[in-house]
Amino acid sequence: MKLKALLRTRRWMVSVLALVFMLSPALSGLAADSSLPSDAPTKAAGAGMEARGNQSLDPYYVDVLEQWKKDGASAAHTGKITIPGTKLSGRSDQASATAGSYQGKDNVLVWNPQRDEWIEYTFDVEQGGLYGIELSYHPFVDTRNRKPIALNVSVDGGHPFLESKSIELYRHWKDKFPIRKDDKGDDIRPMSEDISGWLSWQLRDLTGAYEDPLLWYLKPGKHTIRFSGSDAMALEAITLQAPAVTDSYAKVRSGQPAAASPVQAEPIVIEAEQVQWKNDSSIQLAYDNDIASVPYELGHITYNTLDGARWSSGNQEVSWSFDAPESGYYKIAMRSQQAFTSNRSSFRTIMINGKVPFAELKAYRFLYASGWKGITLGDEQGKPYEFYLNKGPNTISMRVTQAPLKTIAFELEKTIGDIFKLSSDLKTMTGGVDDKNRTWDLEKDLPGFVEQLRGVKDHLQATRERMEKINGRPDAVTQGMVTVGKDMEALLKNPDDIPYQSSRLFSLQGKVAEFIKQLSYQPLQLDRIYIAPIDKPFPKMEATFWEKLEGSVVTFFNSFKSKEKLSEMDDSVLNVWMYRGRDYVNLLQGLADESFTAKTGIKVKVNLLPDEKLLLLMNAAGIAPDVALGLPQDLPFDYAIRNGIYDLKQFSDFDEFYKRFAPGSWTPFYYNGGYYGVPETQTFQVLYYRKDILQSLGLQVPNTWDDLYKMLPVLQQNGMNFSTIEHNAFFQQNGAEYITKDGSKSGLNSEKGFDAFKKWTDLQNKYAVDQKVDSFFQRFRDGSIPIGVADLNTYLQLTVAAPELNGWWGVAPIPGVQQEDGTVARWLGGGMQSSAIFKQTKKAKESWEFLKWWTSAETQERYGTDLETLNGVTFRWYTSNIEAFVKLPWKSDDIKAILEQWRWFREIPNSPGSYYMDREILNAWNRTVVDGMNYRTSLEMAITEIDREMKRKMQEFHYIDSNGNVVRSLNLPTITRPWEGVDKYVKS
């Protein structure tokens, strides 16, 4: 055994030395990325795991604050520093920040960044201690500025804690009342309008993880504060001072008037949906059919509550105004529903007139309960809190917070880090290969591993117990922790088998990460708020048993009354079916009434198509719309070969219309010389990269796949990797054709096809890219995959859900293949939704006018802007109209990279039976990568299956005869040049 151990050690040392020699030229040959920010932090190359996890680079605020207090830092001081916004001490090159006037105030800083910029201020501190930072600001209010202002805040050249990298300044929004109704008498969800004025905000962490605003420790002397961002605002002043102290309820109550006369007035009732303002436009109104919800209208959709599912994440705040009839003591209650997540409590910070009145309301707990409940704000014994209100205008505000649960999230993140380390150690030992023929002795081969895994299990158990205490009862997260603990226990029963099950550890990481995500979800639905004199009873807040029974019966029978009667076609209007959600339909109906009908006189009725299969069934019954929107990409082709869709080339101005879109986006809609669908929305993939990590490793963003191959050893040496990628890029960029020109069979049976397939599978077989990535977003966020290819949804996900990376990631076109003329081909497809005119229409001309209006730049920009305002940034409209796309609120640097990739957009044409293509190519990949089959043999098997299915379908539609001879050719379109139509938008 000693000899075996010695041989293993020697082999390990030889491998390490070989790797070092191999990496030496690669390391020296890779320069720093010129696109990275000049002030990005520099870390030693080869810093390994340091470069991987954010938590290892930047400590959390709670840990830093604790250390500061141990070092003697105190908030018990009277220091106050006010810095005028115009008193800059520095700015980034070409920063668009000038002194001027804005919205009624003179001599303020007007900052309108065109890219990531920074401004900074220098100031003197006389009294050392803990300081909060408050900004007086005014967001720019226009169609391009809709989201909160994101800032990266550094002090004296550094970030003392992670949360300072992601600060947001919010806007104020208000829903437009009165609510409009549609032709069925249902409410149409109101749009929110930006009512932002001059606002003040104490800087807080983005997720609502702490009860109080953030503090910075400033010693006596000179300091510099820097704000980095790309969002426009006017800045009046920055104020630094000690945080206000919030006393307990008992102390606050004892300091209030003792002999106040009882208030002689009726309770005040506030409809929760009628807010004074909200700081997020995506906080929506919801329809609730409980018979006690107000207002309630039988058989109709009435937006009568504040949507708890949309009012559920960090710092989302809502404020209501009311008039107190007399000065005196009042109590507060709410008709609320907190039944979104089984047995999970939700927390809110509750403020009166802009301030938390006492400490107990910093994170007030709303326990889980089924159905609507009347909740009176009070202590643990159920005694209502007494609020002293002055006569006249007052406000009550509620802000989402997860502060009580943040310590649990910290512990779960530590668990993820521990499991990741164990997984990495295991991968290092096994070389990433699950060799079933090898025998392991884990105690000797990897000393300490078993004890560490057992420690992780015990730590998770302790975290679960704390979670149950905070939440008030067990819930789905704590139950999930039990399951993960059992999985670890199962591994520990046979430690020597763990190397054969390394994937289970990666799976456990994903499960624990999901727990953290669930903890941040803090929903609470409100119907009414009641403010009553302390000795007066509240109005009835819950329906009686008989009322609930009546409501249930009425709702049950009413559910059989379908409002979407697609069969009831109105010949006097243009019938449009839309395969999207209700809000999309209502938004389009309003826009069509306002713009299209007003200009053309053509009346339009937009109906919701709940299921695309209904389209097939209705069409078979002889019932079809004039126009259908939101269709899957391949559906128009399926209808075209069955003569169910209108050929758009029949319209005289089609050739001009064709130029609106990238030529490569038209290919799926081509059939028999015509085009049968219109690209409506599209998404495609781009390259995402972590600026901080690439710079720390001395790497630059790859331009070609060869550049990427040179990067991979450096990444892998540091415990990182590249993402998986689909086959589309490799086949298209290397000149392989998926389908032959006549459409009769696969075009992959060529040397270019085999070469492209080999390059694709070499990513795993030769370059050790992971075979599977469960969540690119999560791996990119934690730094284990600092560069990879993903679609535009990841862009929005990183923008919204990874605020700590603000300014530290970027996008670029995907790597390509250099051509003989020096250009780099980056051909890649994506996904689209389409519009089409159905063959049965009697209004072909009107339908064509509607499609031209619908896909125009003006309409698409308006629709996309309204949609994002209504639902938030995650609902960005990926319009196929490039002129409208560039007017949506993208960062200037990012939009250039996206447009460069758009230039190379080219989708695969359709042919009868080509639906078999993707499945069989993936089967070939599995055979080659997972099972180790020769790449050529594997792809040949796939081609055989694809050709067999295509032949069967081509015979069905009479394109080839029974002997396999081509009777008529599909003559598929070929796109060989990148789209020059992008040029003018890139330059602008």
Side-chain angles (χ1 to χ4, degrees), residues 62-130:
V62 64
D63 298 321
V64 173
L65 182 63
E66 183 180 357
Q67 185 60 49
W68 280 342
K69 289 181 178 179
K70 287 181 180 178
D71 295 341
S74 171
H77 61 82
T78 59
K80 183 176 181 179
I81 304 155
T82 300
I83 310 169
T86 55
K87 196 176 180 180
L88 293 175
S89 60
R91 71 181 78 187
S92 58
D93 292 340
Q94 300 180 340
S96 179
T98 58
S101 300
Y102 194 82
Q103 295 298 314
K105 291 195 177 184
D106 299 324
N107 197 30
V108 297
L109 185 75
V110 181
W111 188 19
N112 187 17
Q114 302 304 307
R115 56 189 59 82
D116 286 329
E117 300 177 359
W118 57 262
I119 56 174
E120 65 182 19
Y121 301 85
T122 300
F123 58 96
D124 289 310
V125 172
E126 294 182 1
Q127 297 184 45
L130 296 171

Side-chain angles (χ1 to χ4, degrees), residues 604-739:
V604 177
K605 179 66 183 78
V606 186
N607 279 305
L608 172 68
L609 177 65
D611 189 337
E612 65 173 285
K613 294 176 182 177
L614 282 177
L615 194 61
L616 177 64
L617 295 173
M618 299 290 280
N619 194 53
I623 302 170
D626 297 304
V627 180
L629 310 178
L631 302 177
Q633 174 177 306
D634 297 331
L635 193 143
F637 176 82
D638 291 339
Y639 275 84
I641 60 177
R642 294 167 174 85
N643 197 32
I645 293 278
Y646 208 91
D647 179 6
L648 304 179
K649 284 198 74 175
Q650 296 182 41
F651 297 108
S652 60
D653 54 350
F654 174 80
D655 289 341
E656 189 63 30
F657 179 80
Y658 178 93
K659 297 176 184 177
R660 287 185 181 179
F661 310 99
S665 64
W666 281 103
T667 51
F669 311 119
Y670 177 87
Y671 170 68
N672 201 27
Y675 290 95
Y676 292 82
V678 177
E680 183 177 290
T681 65
Q682 69 183 85
T683 184
F684 41 84
Q685 296 181 320
V686 292
L687 184 72
Y688 294 84
Y689 62 95
R690 286 282 298 271
K691 297 178 181 180
D692 52 345
I693 294 177
L694 292 196
Q695 181 163 343
S696 73
L697 297 176
L699 301 175
Q700 63 182 194
V701 178
N703 189 39
T704 66
W705 291 105
D706 288 336
D707 295 337
L708 177 71
Y709 300 150
K710 294 175 184 177
M711 293 177 63
L712 286 173
V714 184
L715 293 173
Q716 291 162 359
Q717 182 195 32
N718 287 273
M720 307 176 205
N721 216 324
F722 183 74
S723 69
T724 56
I725 186 171
E726 298 174 358
H727 54 79
N728 194 303
F730 285 89
F731 283 116
Q732 293 217 56
Q733 291 178 12
N734 287 280
E737 295 292 342
Y738 280 91
I739 305 171

Side-chain angles (χ1 to χ4, degrees), residues 211-237:
E211 293 181 349
D212 298 308
L214 298 171
L215 301 175
W216 280 261
Y217 181 26
L218 301 176
K219 296 180 180 180
K222 190 175 292 295
H223 295 274
T224 299
I225 184 170
R226 173 180 290 187
F227 301 108
S228 305
S230 59
D231 297 310
M233 68 170 173
L235 183 60
E236 180 185 25

Side-chain angles (χ1 to χ4, degrees), residues 288-301:
D288 185 81
N289 60 9
D290 187 288
I291 199 167
S293 294
V294 180
Y296 176 83
E297 189 174 352
L298 178 62
H300 290 286
I301 293 175

